[in-house]
């Protein structure tokens, strides 16, 4: 079964608005990562937050991590049509294995 | 894409036939992974390799085998394809334990009739 569950499953917003998506996980983690997948393409790494960090920024991306609630959120500010994609969280539990969430499909309307 | 190619990119096959998917990387990354992606399931780990000839099972390994005879190639074999193995298959690499980022290939769409 999937460890990561993302919420919402789909999100549609206007260009310029902020988009927030959430990820919950079940077991202890070393870090949590967010990936983007454009339609028909492979995943691309966006940002990594370690288990001892609470918040991290990268450009228009802001990620938070609450290990007590086993949850993370990804905020994309001032969204653009090019941000239209699916977004996945992934947790690294142990040395090798990644567990991906089911993803949030984001559509940014121009 | 970190120099990752997958072949074939698309394949249609019949139930019961063997199928081999190839992942090739040019970055000399130590770890390699095979995932399948299905609607509603996200990506699920099939097998992974932590070095040449060193492989291990993921969460959905039944019906699949892998081989890694050299650093740059990681093969995924469906011994006898079934319709439930219709999916999009992604290969990913990771440089080593010093970096947690995964790099993904473009994917292979497999249809088993």
């Amino acid at each position: 079964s999937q460890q990561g569950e993302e919420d919402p499953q789909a999100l549609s917003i206007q260009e310029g608005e902020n988009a927030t998506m959430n990820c919950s996980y079940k077991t202890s983690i070393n870090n949590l990562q967010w990936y983007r997948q454009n339609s028909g393409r492979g995943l691309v790494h966006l940002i990594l937050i370690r288990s001892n960090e609470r918040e991290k920024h990268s450009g228009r991306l802001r990620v938070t991590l609450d290990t007590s609630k086993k949850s993370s959120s990804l905020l994309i500010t001032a969204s653009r049509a090019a941000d239209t994609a699916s977004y996945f969280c992934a947790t690294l539990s142990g040395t090798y294995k990644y567990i991906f969430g089911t993803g949030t499909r984001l559509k940014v309307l121009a | 894409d970190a120099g990752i190619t997958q072949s074939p990119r698309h394949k249609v096959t019949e139930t019961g036939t063997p199928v081999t998917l190839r992942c090739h990387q040019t970055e000399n990354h130590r770890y390699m992974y095979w995932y399948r992606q299905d609607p509603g399931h996200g990506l699920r780990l099939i097998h992974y390799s932590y070095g040449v000839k060193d492989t291990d099972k993921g969460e959905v390994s039944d019906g699949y085998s892998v081989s890694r005879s050299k650093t740059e190639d990681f093969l995924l074999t469906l011994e006898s394809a079934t319709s439930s193995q219709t999916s999009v298959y992604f290969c990913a690499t990771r440089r080593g334990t010093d970096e947690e980022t995964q790099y993904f290939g473009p994917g292979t769409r497999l249809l088993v009739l």
Side-chain angles (χ1 to χ4, degrees):
Chain A
S1 63
Q2 286 292 311
Q3 167 161 267
E5 296 291 336
E6 274 137 308
D7 168 53
Q9 291 186 347
L11 179 61
S12 184
I13 60 174
Q14 295 292 324
E15 206 167 27
E17 294 181 339
N18 296 342
T20 300
M21 51 205 87
N22 305 294
C23 166
S24 62
Y25 57 93
K26 296 178 182 174
T27 63
S28 61
I29 60 172
N30 300 323
N31 64 60
L32 186 141
Q33 303 176 44
W34 285 90
Y35 288 79
R36 184 188 73 229
Q37 184 181 34
N38 291 94
S39 181
R41 308 288 293 274
L43 278 72
V44 175
H45 181 261
L46 293 176
I47 193 167
L48 178 152
I49 186 165
R50 299 195 181 282
S51 58
N52 61 354
E53 297 177 308
R54 291 296 170 259
E55 187 170 313
K56 197 162 184 180
H57 297 254
S58 176
R60 295 185 295 113
L61 304 180
R62 186 190 117 190
V63 171
T64 60
L65 180 64
D66 187 335
T67 54
S68 66
K69 295 181 179 178
K70 291 186 169 58
S71 68
S72 174
S73 66
L74 171 67
L75 168 67
I76 304 174
T77 60
S79 62
R80 307 165 181 168
D83 295 327
T84 294
S86 292
Y87 292 82
F88 295 88
C89 66
T91 53
L92 179 61
S93 187
T95 304
Y96 305 114
K97 292 185 179 181
Y98 294 80
I99 300 176
F100 283 82
T102 50
T104 292
R105 295 188 310 278
L106 173 65
K107 186 169 186 179
V108 181
L109 304 170
Chain B
D1 60 1
I4 302 169
T5 56
Q6 292 185 230
S7 59
R9 293 292 314 279
H10 302 270
K11 186 170 182 65
V12 180
T13 191
E14 293 187 349
T15 298
T17 60
V19 176
T20 296
L21 308 183
R22 180 183 184 232
C23 177
H24 179 78
Q25 56 126 340
T26 60
E27 299 296 319
N28 201 36
H29 285 179
R30 182 175 176 185
Y31 303 145
M32 297 185 76
Y33 300 80
W34 276 108
Y35 294 92
R36 59 178 290 173
Q37 185 175 32
D38 305 288
H41 289 279
L43 271 77
R44 291 182 289 175
L45 181 63
I46 305 172
H47 281 279
Y48 64 97
S49 169
Y50 47 95
V52 174
K53 298 191 189 302
D54 292 323
T55 65
D56 206 347
K57 296 178 180 180
E59 64 177 309
V60 290
S61 59
D62 287 348
Y64 302 94
S65 62
V66 291
S67 66
R68 191 171 179 201
S69 59
K70 45 187 178 178
T71 299
E72 57 266 35
D73 289 325
F74 193 31
L75 303 180
L76 176 71
T77 297
L78 291 64
E79 303 289 348
S80 177
T82 67
S83 58
S84 64
Q85 293 176 312
T86 291
S87 187
V88 181
Y89 291 86
F90 287 98
C91 172
T93 69
R94 175 184 165 194
R95 187 172 68 192
T97 52
D98 58 329
E99 182 187 13
E100 293 101 336
T101 299
Q102 286 194 305
Y103 301 90
F104 282 81
T108 294
R109 289 188 175 274
L110 176 66
L111 175 61
V112 183
L113 300 175

